[in-house]
Amino acid sequence: MLFVNFLVKSLGVISILSGAGKVLSPSSNADMWPRLPSWFWAPAGLWEIVSGCLFLKGGEYLDAALALSFIFMGGVFCSVVYIKDEKGFTHFSGRGKMGANGRFLILPGLIWSLMYYYIIVQSQESTNIPPSIICAYMMSGYAWGVFCSSFGGRKVGKKD
């Protein structure tokens, strides 16, 4: 139980720091995903900050933090496998801006998602969110990423 509490608090701090980076320096993310509109990064960062604060608060707020985090992870997966760079390639294709290393961008999202699921299973504060709801959260985040990329930032090729 002590490890789960440590993990929850750690994820909260990491989410807050990651979100603050998006809010304070959106251009660093905008260069990696030029298809997303420039206004996208501040709300995404605020989303992460709220999620992180809910993790730190814990208790009855844990399920809300997990829901926000699974939605965010769905968006992360979308950014790796669907959204193209300036040359028209996704990061996951291995032909994008990061080259073959882009394929590995999916791993952090998978690892984080497994940690979230571990918290659901092990924490006494979680109400055991069913896997079907987790999938729905992630699919909504993925759909939001597709929707936001349709507004586009910079134009890109259509290669992938």
Side-chain angles (χ1 to χ4, degrees):
M1 188 65 181
L2 186 61
F3 176 72
V4 173
N5 289 334
F6 172 76
L7 184 60
V8 168
K9 301 305 180 198
S10 298
L11 291 174
V13 170
I14 291 168
S15 294
I16 290 170
L17 294 174
S18 175
K22 289 176 182 66
V23 170
L24 298 173
S25 179
S27 62
S28 61
N29 289 299
D31 289 340
M32 287 293 290
W33 290 277
R35 280 293 308 265
L36 290 169
S38 59
W39 57 262
F40 175 83
W41 297 105
L46 289 174
W47 185 280
E48 269 189 295
I49 291 169
V50 169
S51 172
C53 289
L54 292 173
F55 272 122
L56 291 177
K57 185 81 171 157
E60 71 246 24
Y61 299 101
L62 182 59
D63 284 341
L66 289 164
L68 291 175
S69 297
F70 278 121
I71 293 168
F72 192 83
M73 282 300 116
V76 169
F77 289 132
C78 177
S79 72
V80 173
V81 301
Y82 177 79
I83 299 175
K84 297 178 171 113
D85 65 9
E86 295 98 334
K87 296 178 183 176
F89 297 109
T90 64
H91 290 295
F92 194 67
S93 72
R95 298 179 292 178
K97 185 179 280 191
M98 294 186 68
N101 293 332
R103 290 189 175 129
F104 297 105
L105 279 177
I106 203 163
L107 290 178
L110 289 172
I111 292 167
W112 277 67
S113 297
L114 288 172
M115 285 191 292
Y116 296 145
Y117 189 72
Y118 177 79
I119 290 168
I120 290 170
V121 173
Q122 295 296 321
S123 176
Q124 295 175 350
E125 295 175 344
S126 175
T127 59
N128 288 329
I129 302 168
S132 59
I133 300 298
I134 293 170
C135 289
Y137 288 149
M138 293 184 91
M139 291 304 295
S140 66
Y142 191 97
W144 179 248
V146 171
F147 177 74
C148 287
S149 71
S150 70
F151 288 106
R154 294 173 276 183
K155 295 295 178 195
V156 299
K158 299 193 181 267
K159 301 237 171 143
D160 255 352

